[in-house]
């Protein structure tokens, strides 16, 4: 099904492998791939990423800009004039939506990953899917208007929910974690309102995807993303792909049992990690304080030097480290990226976390996983939702084999069950070593 | 200036405390025995049906009407708010529903209306700089501070009105129905702004009819009904239905029962006290 606003390339001939024309064809595809993958790039960066010579890049960009696939804008890079290359905005817009327990974030981006507009909305506890999706609709329209685009230009929507999502159905797999959204076919509900394909995934998976593709885990093919916010979740990057598990609950580290005799968790089990480091557990460490103690309040207090807040954050770091040691023994990531609201505490959280992780994980000769703070901050999930939508709807500058095809409705079950297709067609990495030759 | 230089105010201090506030307009008893506590770094929502007394209560705080009975204490000292200047001096800033902006003036002029900087001549440059600083801190999306307010959207006007209230370095900001006339996108802007004020350690009193907004940003909800307190809830442990029940008076919940029990026991002790009062003189009689 073709989507309005995208350009489908004529199928070109590659009958003569190694010929001059097929070489140029391959180089063009390489450049377009790089732009879809990394978003907006300058010509110099393009040359570095693709391994093509600056002259080749310049020629191809000029040619593609003339045919309307790319747009060039003058910019400056390290003080020098440069040409910034993006996919032409007519290639369509993509919306990323992140629904967490107390907040909703929206980003409107073009197919070049360039975020054009963002919105944020605080939410009530136990917000309900129907009314929030109505508001999302209005916010999407507002964002599209703000960039001078009609709502018709939106090609796809990626949604991240604060609960495990079954990759086969797109419905929340575990009830009780995002109560107002349980059993709601979010993709279909939003699709009925927008008439565009909608793809749903777990928030931590999307955070992992964003940090892997454009953040702190770039190029690390074995990585984990830990989101410490209202709840705790992890997204796993295994061999450069997001690993979702059989029913979507892979990486639900927040519900790892740490204390058999602990408190009952909102998931129904006892002594989960979340009963120790979830937002409400941390807030309970501040008895007698007035009002709701939010995670941001704790971080702000700790920044201001409040000893109790610092200790609470350090303890949370220790618990997280123990849980991560288990995760590290199981999937053995090279790098663990910590994101979510509590990660704003920085080293106050990370150094006790590293310490506990090193103490409990299996020692390897090469040393344990590296623990770093996320680079994308609170935007990781919503950016991940954008990337997810771009991948799933296969909105790309289009090589013949991925001539635009959209998968309507829930994520297609046929794409590598278990390992959801982040790049169902392409290989995710463009290695500069391959030089300018077609692979 | 206002927000830049203010250090992070200590969170959770009792700033203002109202006890037993009464107010009547002639024969109409608008408020009866109202209690309200306002803490720094906290958003307290004042909700209630039309005519419940919300506006009257904030007008007492703003110095529009003095109260007829009860006490107001500020930082533990009893104070009286007789006029808007008193209210201002206590660090209370009120943003009314109509915003009271001058449509023909630009954003800077509106922000500093009545408090213009500069002695002999108005220091426009400094005012513009401070306006940008303030709006940036509030992460406000205002395209230019040199355009007349008339050309701004509803949410942007609300932002300007709230920013103006911050010029006087208040400790308490009272927002009367800030989202009532706004669309979803602008409501989002104002709610984010309220969170930002809270993070600055300001006390925010939010009057709203929209329960979704109230539950999204408030820490505590105080319900008024027919001029009386009808329940106080922490947002963390109350459902939408409970709040509506308290607003409409259909509530029979723990809070009202506890309040009733308190009234009953107070009555009982009062009765006992009067009983001893009447007996004591008997014994003292020669």
């Amino acid at each position: 099904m073709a989507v309005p606003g995208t350009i489908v390339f004529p199928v070109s001939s590659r009958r003569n492998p190694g010929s001059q024309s097929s070489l140029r064809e391959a180089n063009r595809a390489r450049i377009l791939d790089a732009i879809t993958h990394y978003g907006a790039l300058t010509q110099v960066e393009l040359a570095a990423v693709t391994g093509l010579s600056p002259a080749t890049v310049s020629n191809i960009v000029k040619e593609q800009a003339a045919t309307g696939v790319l747009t060039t804008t003058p910019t400056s890079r390290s003080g020098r004039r440069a040409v910034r290359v993006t996919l032409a905005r007519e290639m369509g817009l993509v919306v990323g939506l992140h629904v967490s327990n107390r907040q909703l974030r929206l980003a409107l981006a073009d197919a070049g990953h360039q975020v054009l507009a963002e919105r944020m909305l605080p939410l009530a506890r136990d917000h309900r899917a129907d009314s929030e999706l109505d508001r999302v609709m209005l916010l999407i329209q507002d964002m599209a208007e703000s960039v001078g685009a009609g709502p018709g230009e939106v090609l796809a929507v990626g949604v991240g929910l604060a609960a495990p999502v079954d990759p086969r159905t797109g419905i929340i797999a575990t009830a009780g974690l995002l109560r107002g959204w349980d059993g709601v076919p979010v993709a279909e509900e939003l699709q009925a309102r927008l008439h565009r394909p909608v793809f749903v995934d777990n928030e931590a998976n999307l955070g992992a995807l964003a940090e892997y593709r454009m953040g702190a885990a770039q190029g690390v093919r074995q990585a984990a993303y830990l989101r410490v916010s209202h709840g705790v979740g992890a997204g796993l990057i295994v061999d450069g792909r997001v690993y979702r598990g059989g029913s979507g609950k892979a990486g639900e580290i927040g519900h790892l049992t740490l204390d058999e005799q602990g408190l009952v968790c909102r998931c129904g089990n006892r002594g989960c990690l979340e009963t120790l480091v979830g937002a409400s557990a941390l807030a309970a460490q501040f008895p007698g304080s007035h009002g709701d103690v939010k995670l941001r309040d704790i971080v702000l207090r700790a920044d201001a030097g409040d000893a109790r807040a610092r200790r609470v954050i350090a303890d949370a770091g220790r618990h997280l480290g123990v849980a991560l040691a288990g995760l590290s023994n199981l999937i053995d990531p090279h790098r663990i990226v910590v994101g979510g609201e509590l990660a704003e505490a920085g080293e106050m959280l990370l150094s006790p976390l590293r310490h506990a992780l090193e103490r409990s994980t299996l020692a390897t000769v090469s040393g344990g996983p590296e623990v770093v703070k996320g680079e994308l901050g609170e935007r990781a999930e919503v950016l991940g939702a954008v990337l997810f939508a771009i991948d799933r709807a296969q909105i790309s500058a289009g090589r013949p084999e991925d001539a635009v095809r959209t998968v309507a409705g829930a994520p297609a079950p046929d794409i590598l069950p278990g390992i959801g297709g982040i790049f169902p067609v392409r290989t995710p990495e463009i290695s500069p070593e391959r030089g300018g030759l077609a692979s | 200036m206002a927000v830049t230089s203010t250090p992070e105010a200590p969170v959770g201090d009792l700033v203002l405390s109202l006890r037993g506030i009464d107010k009547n307009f002639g024969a109409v008893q608008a408020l009866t025995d109202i209690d309200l506590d306002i803490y720094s770094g906290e958003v307290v929502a004042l909700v209630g049906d039309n005519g419940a007394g919300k506006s009257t209560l904030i007008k007492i705080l703003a110095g529009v009407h003095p109260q007829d009975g009860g006490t107001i204490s500020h930082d533990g000292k009893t104070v009286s708010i007789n006029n808007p200047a008193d209210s201002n001096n206590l660090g209370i800033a009120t943003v009314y529903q109509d915003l009271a902006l001058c449509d023909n003036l630009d954003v800077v002029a509106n922000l500093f209306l009545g408090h213009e900087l500069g002695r002999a001549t108005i220091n426009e440059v400094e005012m513009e700089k401070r306006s940008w600083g303030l709006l940036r801190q509030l992460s406000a999306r205002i395209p230019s501070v040199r355009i007349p307010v008339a050309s701004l959207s509803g949410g942007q006007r609300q932002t300007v009105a709230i920013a103006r209230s911050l010029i006087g370095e208040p400790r308490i900001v009272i927002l009367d129905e800030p989202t009532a006339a706004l669309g979803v996108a602008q409501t989002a802007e104002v709610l984010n702004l309220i969170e930002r004020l809270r993070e600055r350690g300001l006390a925010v009193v939010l009057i709203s009819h929209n329960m979704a907004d109230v539950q999204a940003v408030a820490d505590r909800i105080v319900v008024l009904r027919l001029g009386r307190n009808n329940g106080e809830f922490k947002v963390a442990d109350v459902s939408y239905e409970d709040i509506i029940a308290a607003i409409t008076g259909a509530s029979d919940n723990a809070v009202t029962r506890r309040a009733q029990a308190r009234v009953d026991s107070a009555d009982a002790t009062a009765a006992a006290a009067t009983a001893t009062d009447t007996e004591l003189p008997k014994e003292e009689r020669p």
Side-chain angles (χ1 to χ4, degrees):
Chain A
M1 154 175 94
V3 173
T6 43
I7 294 166
V8 181
F9 266 78
V11 176
S12 61
S13 58
R14 280 226 215 168
R15 265 165 279 155
N16 295 328
S19 74
Q20 199 71 28
S21 63
S22 78
L23 189 61
R24 185 175 310 134
E25 172 87 30
N27 287 344
R28 190 188 301 143
R30 189 179 287 264
I31 285 181
L32 295 179
D33 256 3
I35 296 172
T36 347
H37 189 82
Y38 293 100
L41 290 173
T42 62
Q43 285 197 9
V44 181
E45 289 163 345
L46 257 180
V49 163
T50 55
L52 300 173
S53 77
T56 314
V57 170
S58 171
N59 276 337
I60 293 177
V61 166
K62 210 172 284 167
E63 170 200 314
Q64 294 296 304
T67 56
V69 177
L70 298 176
T71 311
T72 54
T73 40
T75 178
S76 67
R77 182 174 173 276
S78 338
R80 293 174 178 220
R81 278 196 302 147
V83 178
R84 177 185 150 98
V85 185
T86 46
L87 294 180
R89 234 219 334 107
E90 299 85 81
M91 296 298 293
L93 300 173
V94 179
V95 173
L97 164 65
H98 173 211
V99 182
S100 61
N101 291 75
R102 294 300 304 271
Q103 203 183 57
L104 180 152
R105 263 173 191 274
L106 273 162
L108 179 73
D110 62 12
H113 304 178
Q114 188 184 352
V115 175
L116 305 166
E118 278 189 271
R119 295 287 184 274
M120 199 175 82
L121 180 66
L123 293 181
R125 208 170 42 94
D126 290 342
H127 44 86
R128 283 154 221 218
D130 48 358
S131 57
E132 298 315 330
L133 287 176
D134 285 342
R135 295 215 273 181
V136 163
M137 261 300 296
L138 295 169
L139 286 169
I140 290 176
Q141 281 168 2
D142 175 71
M143 286 196 300
E145 267 165 39
S146 76
V147 301
E153 278 187 54
V154 173
L155 297 184
V157 182
V159 183
L161 300 179
V165 173
D166 194 322
R168 293 165 301 190
T169 59
I171 295 179
I172 290 181
T174 311
L177 300 181
L178 195 63
R179 275 192 274 181
W181 296 65
D182 287 343
V184 178
V186 178
E188 279 144 46
E189 291 268 327
L190 201 52
Q191 218 165 333
R193 290 170 168 84
L194 270 172
H195 310 292
R196 286 290 175 273
V198 178
F199 308 98
V200 184
D201 198 356
N202 169 258
E203 53 172 3
N205 291 347
L206 297 181
L209 178 64
E211 291 286 358
Y212 172 62
R213 296 268 281 273
M214 50 210 280
Q218 231 165 9
V220 183
R221 292 173 60 83
Q222 316 294 339
Y225 171 76
L226 180 72
R227 178 177 153 79
V228 198
S229 190
H230 190 88
V232 182
L236 311 176
I237 300 283
V238 176
D239 290 333
R241 290 167 184 273
V242 174
Y243 179 73
R244 296 190 172 75
S247 55
K249 63 173 187 172
E252 281 303 314
I253 194 172
H255 301 285
L256 215 65
T257 305
L258 285 199
D259 179 5
E260 275 283 348
Q261 264 77 50
L263 299 169
V264 174
C265 177
R266 62 192 173 122
C267 72
N269 288 338
R270 200 176 262 287
C272 297
L273 175 63
E274 243 184 64
T275 63
L276 297 168
V277 302
S280 43
L282 296 188
Q285 307 292 316
F286 296 88
S289 30
H290 216 85
D292 222 2
V293 181
K294 298 182 181 169
L295 282 180
R296 270 190 80 93
D297 299 340
I298 299 176
V299 174
L300 282 174
R301 285 186 200 186
D303 278 340
D306 180 316
R308 180 153 42 152
R310 297 181 87 101
R311 177 60 199 248
V312 165
I313 290 176
D315 286 349
R318 266 191 319 117
H319 291 306
L320 289 168
V322 171
L324 279 178
L327 178 109
S328 162
N329 285 352
L330 286 178
I331 69 152
D332 192 15
H334 289 312
R335 191 176 295 169
I336 296 173
V337 179
V338 183
E341 278 171 287
L342 203 60
E344 296 303 314
E347 284 304 308
M348 272 186 285
L349 177 78
L350 294 187
S351 62
L353 189 157
R354 276 191 206 106
H355 185 70
L357 172 63
E358 275 163 28
R359 207 171 39 177
S360 316
T361 194
L362 204 60
T364 48
V365 181
S366 56
E370 186 188 358
V371 180
V372 297
K373 186 181 164 206
E375 278 174 15
L376 305 174
E378 290 184 48
R379 298 167 75 217
E381 288 76 17
V382 74
L383 295 177
V386 167
L387 296 173
F388 183 60
I390 290 177
D391 288 349
R392 277 294 166 95
Q394 306 207 346
I395 297 162
S396 65
R399 280 184 303 190
E401 62 264 36
D402 42 57
V404 175
R405 178 174 72 90
T406 48
V407 188
D414 56 338
I415 304 171
L416 295 173
I419 303 172
I422 286 313
F423 266 100
V425 184
R426 285 175 302 239
T427 47
E429 286 195 338
I430 297 162
S431 51
E433 301 88 69
R434 284 187 302 181
L437 289 172
S439 46
Chain B
M1 89 145 265
V3 186
T4 21
S5 58
T6 315
E8 200 67 49
V11 175
D13 290 349
L14 183 60
V15 187
L16 201 68
S17 176
L18 278 64
R19 285 288 170 271
I21 298 293
D22 288 320
K23 177 73 197 171
N24 54 55
F25 296 100
V28 180
Q29 186 77 20
L31 297 177
T32 314
D33 199 20
I34 295 285
D35 294 347
L36 176 68
D37 289 332
I38 299 172
Y39 293 82
S40 64
E42 188 196 36
V43 179
V44 53
L46 205 54
V47 301
D49 205 350
N50 294 333
K54 308 183 296 287
S55 297
T56 310
L57 185 59
I58 65 154
K59 279 178 182 161
I60 288 174
L61 290 176
V64 177
H65 311 300
Q67 81 268 28
D68 293 331
T71 55
I72 301 178
S73 51
H74 180 265
D75 283 338
K77 284 182 297 245
T78 305
V79 293
S80 59
I81 305 177
N82 295 316
N83 52 50
D86 289 348
S87 168
N88 238 340
N89 293 338
L90 292 174
I92 302 173
T94 312
V95 179
Y96 293 102
Q97 204 170 342
D98 63 7
L99 306 182
L101 296 172
C102 301
D103 274 353
N104 57 329
L105 300 182
D106 65 20
V107 175
V108 179
N110 265 292
L111 286 179
F112 286 91
L113 194 61
H115 313 92
E116 284 85 355
L117 301 175
R119 292 222 180 94
T121 53
I122 292 174
N123 189 346
E124 289 282 351
V125 176
E126 182 61 22
M127 277 166 42
E128 186 167 331
K129 262 194 220 155
R130 288 194 184 183
S131 302
W132 272 123
L134 186 59
L135 292 172
R136 204 171 301 126
Q137 281 165 46
L138 297 174
S139 307
R141 285 206 307 256
I142 307 264
S144 160
V145 292
R146 285 300 180 192
I147 52 171
V149 165
S151 59
L152 297 179
S153 76
Q156 290 168 335
R157 284 160 183 244
Q158 189 78 47
T159 307
V160 172
I162 293 173
R164 186 181 55 184
S165 74
L166 298 180
I167 292 282
E169 300 192 32
R171 294 177 65 194
I172 302 170
V173 178
I174 300 173
L175 305 174
D176 190 1
E177 295 274 4
T179 59
L182 304 182
V184 176
Q186 287 116 27
T187 299
E189 239 168 274
V190 172
L191 295 183
N192 289 327
L193 191 54
I194 293 173
E195 293 213 315
R196 204 99 353 97
L197 296 178
R198 178 184 181 279
E199 278 164 23
R200 308 211 75 88
L202 268 72
V204 180
V205 180
L206 168 70
I207 295 184
S208 180
H209 277 115
N210 186 327
M211 285 308 123
D213 293 351
V214 164
Q215 288 193 299
V217 295
D219 296 281
R220 203 154 47 93
I221 299 178
V222 172
V223 182
L224 298 187
R225 177 169 150 73
L226 303 176
R228 292 171 186 272
N229 279 108
N230 199 34
E232 184 176 325
F233 307 94
K234 275 193 164 189
V235 172
D237 37 49
V238 67
S239 71
Y240 174 79
E241 289 76 11
D242 288 341
I243 304 169
I244 297 297
I247 291 172
T248 56
S251 55
D252 176 35
N253 57 45
V255 176
T256 50
R257 275 197 297 270
R258 209 178 306 134
Q260 192 54 47
R262 212 179 295 139
V263 170
D264 290 345
S265 65
D267 286 348
T269 40
T274 42
T276 44
D277 280 348
T278 46
E279 278 168 24
L280 271 173
K282 262 183 204 165
E283 289 176 3
E284 281 170 13
R285 261 177 215 158

